[in-house]
Amino acid sequence: MFNWKLPTVLVSAMMLLGCAQLEQTSQTPEIQAAAVSSEPASVSAEIWYRERMLLPENAQLTLTLADVALADAPAKIIASKTMTLTNTPPWIVDLNYDPAALTEQGRYVLQARIEANGVLMFINTTSTPVFAEQDNKAVNIMLSKVATDRKAALFNTDVNFENTYWKLIELNGTPVVTKENAREINMTFNSEEQTAHGFSGCNGFSGGYQLNGNQITFSPFMSTMMACPDMDETEIPFLKTLAGTELYQINGETLSLVDAQSRVIMRFKAAVKD
């Protein structure tokens, strides 16, 4: 009987091919497409706002496809497109991207903003998943108007962002309840000193901030050095989340802080300091 064996290299190659095929079958359609083609793909968005107003002639719209899977890290930009607006909304924008840049672990959203002379005018303040539509419809994005007066918020209100005592009522979507006889988490923005200061659950903290419309940038915070048994549950998450703030909004007596992924990460209530 004739006895033969496949060369070791060929056997190894066949095993690797089989593993690759098995892995591909478990991937999402977007990732499967990237594995077999390097051709660019595109997503379409319909962008608009409710206000009856005309934009400046030099207003520019930027649409970005971003991966926001990591909550404690900046969004990863997959693709971005900027265009000068010459007509009224809605605007239909096609954004090309490389499918090979997508991963199964990614969480992909569309972010849109309108700027004029470097000043932010409109932005989407809710997370907009990019692959939610299953029939190739354009993703609908509604933009919110940004306040241009630094003492006004996104919506007209009598409550000022600065020089108001703000009590924390929600952190990353979870209501915050102050324990009996405990001090509430709070912060105040001092307009004269351009510092934010308050109490983070165990220690007092303070740090500088800068405003551009309703965009806010914090400098590193400093705090006292007391140790408390529940710091991992309250103070550390609060300060870490606070540092990721990019926008603020005020609706009535409620202050919302929004991160770079357009997620509301904190809510405060205007209150009287104890």
Side-chain angles (χ1 to χ4, degrees):
M1 179 180 296
F2 181 67
N3 187 16
W4 59 278
K5 295 182 179 179
L6 288 174
T8 303
V9 175
L10 181 57
V11 173
S12 300
M14 293 177 64
M15 293 178 64
L16 290 174
L17 179 59
C19 291
Q21 291 177 341
L22 179 60
E23 180 181 359
Q24 181 175 342
T25 58
S26 63
Q27 294 174 334
T28 62
E30 291 84 4
I31 309 306
Q32 290 180 21
V36 299
S37 174
S38 60
E39 292 296 323
S42 66
V43 61
S44 182
E46 182 177 356
I47 305 169
W48 56 288
Y49 57 80
R50 289 197 177 100
E51 286 78 4
R52 293 185 177 181
M53 59 176 288
L54 294 177
L55 295 172
E57 293 183 358
N58 57 351
Q60 291 188 315
L61 169 65
T62 299
L63 179 66
T64 301
L65 170 61
D67 181 1
V68 296
L70 298 178
D72 57 349
K76 179 181 178 181
I77 304 302
I78 305 300
S80 186
K81 179 178 182 179
T82 299
M83 54 186 288
T84 299
L85 298 175
T86 58
N87 58 342
T88 57
W91 301 283
I92 304 297
V93 182
D94 294 323
L95 178 62
N96 294 329
Y97 66 93
D98 181 5
L102 306 180
T103 66
E104 290 185 338
Q105 295 75 28
R107 187 163 71 87
Y108 301 100
V109 299
L110 284 178
Q111 301 169 344
R113 58 198 296 137
I114 296 176
E115 297 181 352
N117 297 320
V119 177
L120 182 65
M121 297 186 64
F122 289 87
I123 193 169
N124 63 317
T125 56
T126 58
S127 182
T128 306
V130 64
F131 297 122
E133 296 288 351
Q134 301 298 322
D135 52 1
N136 296 321
K137 288 184 178 180
V139 179
N140 190 286
I141 302 178
M142 186 187 73
L143 304 181
S144 296
K145 188 176 184 297
V146 174
T148 55
D149 185 285
R150 58 182 290 147
K151 287 195 172 183
L154 186 61
F155 303 97
N156 292 330
T157 174
D158 293 331
V159 178
N160 288 331
F161 170 72
E162 295 176 305
N163 306 318
T164 296
Y165 178 87
W166 296 106
K167 170 186 174 181
L168 182 69
I169 59 174
E170 182 182 302
L171 177 62
N172 289 321
T174 301
V176 173
V177 179
T178 304
K179 296 180 181 179
E180 187 176 359
N181 299 323
R183 186 178 174 187
E184 62 195 15
I185 297 177
N186 67 81
M187 68 187 307
T188 300
F189 299 88
N190 188 306
S191 61
E192 293 185 3
E193 300 177 358
Q194 286 293 280
T195 58
H197 60 86
F199 179 72
S200 53
C202 179
N203 291 279
F205 70 93
S206 64
Y209 69 92
Q210 292 182 337
L211 298 178
N212 179 14
N214 79 320
Q215 291 181 292
I216 183 168
T217 302
F218 289 112
S219 61
F221 292 109
M222 299 180 63
S223 67
T224 54
M225 301 298 292
M226 293 182 59
C228 300
D230 58 350
M231 290 181 64
D232 290 341
E233 299 178 4
T234 54
E235 181 165 276
I236 293 177
F238 170 77
L239 292 175
K240 183 177 180 180
T241 304
L242 182 62
T245 302
E246 175 151 321
L247 304 170
Y248 75 88
Q249 305 169 357
I250 295 179
N251 188 1
E253 297 183 345
T254 301
L255 166 67
S256 299
L257 300 185
V258 180
D259 67 7
Q261 289 78 49
S262 301
R263 297 174 296 193
V264 175
I265 54 178
M266 290 187 184
R267 295 188 197 276
F268 294 81
K269 191 77 172 178
V272 178
K273 185 176 182 180
D274 295 334

